[in-house]
Amino acid sequence: MLEEIEGLEFFEDIHRYSYQGNWLLHSVTGVLSFDMSPIVRKRINETRDGEDGWALRGTTIHAALEQHLLGEAEVNPGRYQEWIEPLLDNWLVQNTNPIAVEYRLCDPRISLGGSFDFLIQYKGKTILGDLKTVSTAAAVESRKAATAQLGGYLNMMNYHHPRLWIDRCVTLVSGPGVAKVISSDPGECINAWEDAWGRYSVNLEVKEPF
C-alpha cells in the first residue's frame, strides 16, 4: 500500500486539510464548485441530510467499497443494498490489487488538499478512481465523468509520487441496481484540472501558501 504523506492531516468535522502544521487554503472540491449556480447549490443543500439524503448514502456506499478493497468485513448495507451489491460485483473492483484507498493528497505550492477514493492495479494497469453515487438508475447513465476532479488528484500524485505511472482514470458510478465505469485519459484529466484551476485563480484571490 502507498505510504501516507508525512505531515498531511485531514480534519473531518471541518473538512479542512493541514500540511506541516499549516492550513491549506483550497480543496479540489472547493475549486470545482466555486462557480456553482445558486439554484444548484440550494438544491444540493436541501437534499443533503436525512434518511433519504445523499450524504448518508454516499458515506455508506463509500465505506462499503473501501472495506471491500481492503479485504475487510463489509458494512451492513441497510437500505443501500441495491446500490452496494452491483457496485461490489462490478468488474473493476473484482480481483484487483489496491494501492491506496481513501488517500489524502496535497500540493503545497498552491495550498491545495484533496482525497481520492481508490488507486488499484487491474490486469497490469494502474487506475486512479473516484466513486460517485446517484439516486436512480437513469442518473447512472447521465452522470458525467469526474474528469477535472481526477485531474486534480493526478496532479498531486505527480508531485508526491512522480515515479508512479497511472495508466487510466475512472469515474465509478453507483446507482440502484447498476454500477458503471467511465474511463478517461490521464492527459485529458490534467488539462481539465488546469482549466478549472485557471478559472478559479482568476476569479478568486489566490494567496501565497505559506
Side-chain angles (χ1 to χ4, degrees):
M1 297 292 285
L2 204 60
E3 292 185 3
E4 295 181 357
I5 297 171
E6 186 176 354
L8 178 62
E9 296 181 86
F10 179 67
F11 296 84
E12 186 80 38
D13 55 337
I14 58 175
H15 201 82
R16 288 200 65 182
Y17 295 86
S18 172
Y19 182 61
Q20 297 183 349
N22 298 282
W23 290 114
L24 297 177
L25 302 177
H26 318 289
S27 69
V28 171
T29 53
V31 169
L32 298 178
S33 64
F34 88 98
D35 58 352
M36 183 182 297
S37 75
I39 295 175
V40 173
R41 192 179 299 276
K42 182 174 183 292
R43 176 60 179 166
I44 289 174
N45 291 334
E46 289 175 344
T47 57
R48 174 186 174 89
D49 300 319
E51 291 186 357
D52 295 322
W54 56 262
L56 178 60
R57 181 188 71 218
T59 299
T60 304
I61 298 171
H62 274 78
L65 177 62
E66 178 182 4
Q67 293 185 357
H68 174 79
L69 290 174
L70 295 177
E72 300 175 359
E74 297 176 4
V75 297
N76 181 358
R79 63 183 302 174
Y80 300 108
Q81 183 174 357
E82 194 176 358
W83 280 257
I84 291 172
E85 285 188 352
L87 173 65
L88 302 188
D89 286 339
N90 186 269
W91 60 268
L92 181 67
V93 298
Q94 291 292 318
N95 302 315
T96 62
N97 295 317
I99 301 171
V101 182
E102 292 295 328
Y103 191 72
R104 313 298 187 193
L105 286 162
C106 69
D107 186 343
R109 299 169 298 181
I110 55 175
S111 195
L112 178 75
S115 306
F116 64 70
D117 292 326
F118 58 88
L119 182 68
I120 59 174
Q121 283 188 329
Y122 178 82
K123 293 187 176 180
K125 301 293 185 180
T126 301
I127 301 172
L128 174 66
D130 188 69
L131 171 65
K132 301 296 185 186
T133 70
V134 295
S135 59
T136 67
V140 172
E141 294 304 317
S142 62
R143 187 64 168 84
K144 295 181 180 180
T147 311
Q149 185 175 355
L150 288 162
Y153 303 143
L154 185 57
N155 189 62
M156 291 188 284
M157 283 293 292
N158 290 340
Y159 176 78
H160 287 282
H161 305 287
R163 295 183 180 180
L164 200 164
W165 179 261
I166 295 175
D167 297 285
R168 298 297 296 175
C169 295
V170 300
T171 307
L172 179 56
V173 188
S174 171
V178 63
K180 178 182 178 180
V181 177
I182 309 173
S183 181
S184 302
D185 178 75
E188 176 188 3
C189 294
I190 286 287
N191 290 337
W193 166 253
E194 290 178 347
D195 287 344
W197 176 259
R199 293 192 301 272
Y200 177 81
S201 58
V202 164
N203 285 274
L204 296 178
E205 179 183 1
V206 179
K207 301 178 181 178
E208 291 297 324
F210 308 128

